[in-house]
Amino acid sequence: MSHIDRERATCEFLQNEDYLFSNNEYCDVEFDKSFCWYNVTRGETLFRQCPFQFCLSIEGCAEIAASLQVHRTCHLNGTWGAPNYDGCIEILGNYKQCFAGFCNGCPDPLRQTVMAVTMCLSVMSVAVLVGALVLFSFFDSLQCRRLSIHKNLATAFVFRFAVLAIWNAASSSHWFYDCTEFNQKPLYHIEWMCKGILWLFMYFQVASVMWMFIEGAYLYSRFTLVAMRSAEPPSWLFQTVGWGVPFVSVMSWTYVHERVSRQNANSFCWLPYAEGPHLWILTGTMGVALLMNLMFLFLIVLILVQKLHSGNTDTKIIWKTVKATFLLVPLLGVSNFPLFYEPDHRSGAYMLISAILQHSQGIFIAVLYCFLNSEVQLAVKRQVAKLPYRFLRHTYFETQRTYVPDSGTVNTRHGIPMEQLEGNSDSQSQRSTTGDPSAN
């Protein structure tokens, strides 16, 4: 309920209870379209705080809210004087930082921290994932079915975090609202753009989860009898599951949510979009995929432990293998399971942990699938070795080293010309065949 509605309701209630302020000591209850004036004895003046949401955490704003107020006098004859709003007008003109309005809200350190973490991790994820895609696409020797899945997963996350960064920037900068008035007004003529950004974000969010499911299924197939078969599933099947299923899911949600939104005259840009039972069209799709990945992870660990125990492997190797398998938790999206339960009162710790878990996945994928991949590292080293620049070659550092041998280390090869080395080797071979008298 807004401030004006609350004040009007108060006046209507008090006017129906005539016995409260019906004697000759008070002025009658009256509503001036902003405040409900009551309980003021004749000859007195009532001061009330301006109808703003003051940001009392900002230095000096509490004093301004207390000093610049609206007031109205109840005359001795029982009539009201005109309300004086000069203090509120001065606040509107000179102290806009002290109240929420004109698309600006009061400072919220927790929200600002979460937004900063989200934006920072999103930009970092896009940067490292683009780098990983460049490396994946540059080297022909790396191309295979497994790498194709990695590239699709990285692409889904790149667009997911890029669109999320655009959405956060649009929300914080109020691209789709008119902020020239105290109460912001939606710009309905560009609502289609707002809906388009939101739709793309939700599509790539579901697509990234589906490609994580494909990663889990393909990895599990490498540990089972499926890996012994020569034929692999066709590429179009992966593309259908990774890109087609999210499209069907998001379009189904869009159809239902659009019908629900039209029933609300004040709805704009599908907001709030994360409400309603039809949200399960999206969360159900992602939940099933993540649940399957959790099952794949459990089966992979079970297979590894069985193989290690059957071979009487050292405990250290088993522990190393299990630790390496736990790295699959962020890669397969299993860390998102706690986010499916959202408490009614979200604490600061929950919001911060949620932001870190959701928006650091791109970094994990790029680092573990690409930058720490031994095949990628080997391909990069081979490419660097082909470069004509001497300072990139390892031999450059060896040839630039100056070493003067001591008398006791004359036989070392460092610092000795090639001719002398060849002469020494020839003489040594002759001595070994004819026999060295000094050796006897």
Side-chain angles (χ1 to χ4, degrees):
M1 181 181 293
S2 65
H3 164 81
I4 294 178
D5 293 337
R6 185 169 56 252
E7 292 291 321
R8 182 186 291 109
T10 300
C11 270
E12 291 176 355
F13 173 78
L14 294 176
Q15 288 171 352
N16 293 331
E17 303 291 339
D18 294 335
Y19 65 90
L20 289 176
F21 306 108
S22 60
N23 55 42
N24 295 329
E25 296 181 3
Y26 301 93
C27 286
D28 294 335
V29 176
E30 185 174 302
F31 178 66
D32 68 349
K33 298 183 179 180
S34 292
F35 282 103
C36 181
W37 299 93
Y38 63 96
N39 194 24
V40 180
T41 57
R42 298 183 180 186
E44 292 185 353
T45 300
L46 177 63
F47 289 83
R48 298 194 65 179
Q49 193 176 76
C50 294
F52 304 138
Q53 180 185 348
F54 285 97
C55 305
L56 302 180
S57 60
I58 299 178
E59 184 178 359
C61 289
E63 292 77 6
I64 292 173
S67 59
L68 299 177
Q69 296 184 335
V70 57
H71 60 273
R72 194 177 188 185
T73 301
C74 176
H75 297 306
L76 294 176
N77 59 2
T79 61
W80 285 103
N84 189 325
Y85 284 89
D86 291 343
C88 300
I89 295 174
E90 183 178 352
I91 293 175
L92 282 173
N94 302 325
Y95 303 102
K96 289 185 178 181
Q97 75 279 7
C98 288
F99 61 89
F102 299 99
C103 294
N104 295 320
C106 293
D108 186 350
L110 175 60
R111 182 177 180 275
Q112 292 174 349
T113 301
V114 173
M115 288 291 293
V117 170
T118 299
M119 183 64 73
C120 181
L121 290 177
S122 297
V123 173
M124 290 177 60
S125 294
V126 170
V128 296
L129 285 170
V130 168
L133 282 172
V134 170
L135 290 177
F136 283 154
S137 304
F138 183 77
F139 300 106
D140 294 335
S141 60
L142 298 177
Q143 304 308 314
C144 62
R145 177 61 57 84
R146 176 170 52 89
L147 185 66
S148 176
I149 297 175
H150 293 347
K151 289 164 66 175
N152 280 278
L153 175 63
T155 301
F157 269 103
V158 165
F159 282 104
R160 170 182 172 178
F161 290 124
V163 175
L164 175 62
I166 295 174
W167 174 258
N168 288 336
S171 300
S172 59
S173 301
H174 312 288
W175 291 357
F176 307 109
Y177 291 92
D178 180 12
C179 300
T180 58
E181 298 184 11
F182 182 82
N183 295 317
Q184 63 183 18
K185 291 186 176 180
L187 301 176
Y188 286 99
H189 65 282
I190 57 173
E191 184 182 11
W192 63 270
M193 187 182 303
C194 179
K195 289 182 177 179
I197 296 175
L198 182 59
W199 191 94
L200 288 175
F201 167 67
M202 303 185 76
Y203 171 73
F204 287 113
Q205 185 175 16
V206 179
S208 62
V209 174
M210 294 308 299
W211 278 107
M212 284 191 290
F213 161 71
I214 294 174
E215 287 278 3
Y218 188 83
L219 181 63
Y220 174 69
S221 70
R222 300 298 91 191
F223 283 87
T224 60
L225 293 177
V226 180
M228 304 300 294
R229 300 175 182 176
S230 57
E232 291 186 342
S235 178
W236 63 263
L237 180 60
F238 292 131
Q239 300 296 327
T240 301
V241 175
W243 300 115
V245 171
F247 181 80
V248 174
S249 176
V250 177
M251 284 301 297
S252 301
W253 174 88
T254 302
Y255 175 78
V256 177
H257 193 73
E258 180 67 21
R259 292 175 61 89
V260 173
S261 298
R262 288 179 180 177
Q263 299 175 3
N264 183 5
N266 297 323
S267 176
F268 177 74
C269 192
W270 294 334
L271 299 176
Y273 63 89
E275 291 183 359
H278 56 280
L279 184 64
W280 278 100
I281 299 175
L282 301 178
T283 56
T285 303
M286 294 187 291
V288 170
L290 294 177
L291 187 63
M292 292 294 294
N293 269 358
L294 181 63
M295 183 185 69
F296 290 146
L297 180 64
F298 173 77
L299 294 175
I300 289 172
V301 173
L302 185 63
I303 292 172
L304 287 175
V305 171
Q306 289 177 348
K307 288 184 177 181
L308 291 172
H309 277 297
S310 62
N312 296 324
T313 313
D314 188 11
T315 307
K316 292 183 178 179
I317 299 179
I318 297 177
W319 177 240
K320 269 187 174 181
T321 306
V322 172
K323 286 196 298 183
T325 307
F326 277 116
L327 291 176
L328 297 174
V329 171
L331 297 179
L332 300 181
V334 180
S335 56
N336 287 331
F337 264 111
L339 306 180
F340 277 82
Y341 169 74
E342 186 172 310
D344 296 333
H345 302 285
R346 294 180 295 178
S347 63
Y350 173 86
M351 296 175 64
L352 191 59
I353 293 174
S354 173
I356 294 174
L357 286 178
Q358 290 188 68
H359 305 103
S360 61
Q361 285 181 313
I363 301 174
F364 275 104
I365 289 172
V367 171
L368 297 179
Y369 274 163
C370 180
F371 301 130
L372 295 183
N373 189 298
S374 58
E375 297 178 8
V376 176
Q377 293 177 352
L378 182 59
V380 171
K381 290 179 181 178
R382 288 176 178 173
Q383 187 65 30
V384 170
K386 297 177 182 179
L387 296 176
Y389 305 106
R390 295 183 61 198
F391 64 88
L392 291 175
R393 297 179 180 273
H394 182 66
T395 55
Y396 168 80
F397 300 98
E398 295 180 355
T399 55
Q400 292 296 313
R401 181 172 55 188
T402 303
Y403 178 76
V404 179
D406 297 332
S407 58
T409 59
V410 144
N411 290 331
T412 182
R413 294 173 178 259
H414 294 291
I416 301 178
M418 184 61 68
E419 296 83 0
Q420 185 175 348
L421 285 174
E422 293 176 351
N424 288 343
S425 61
D426 293 342
S427 61
Q428 288 177 1
S429 61
Q430 291 177 0
R431 292 173 59 185
S432 62
T433 54
T434 58
D436 188 2
S438 61
N440 298 327

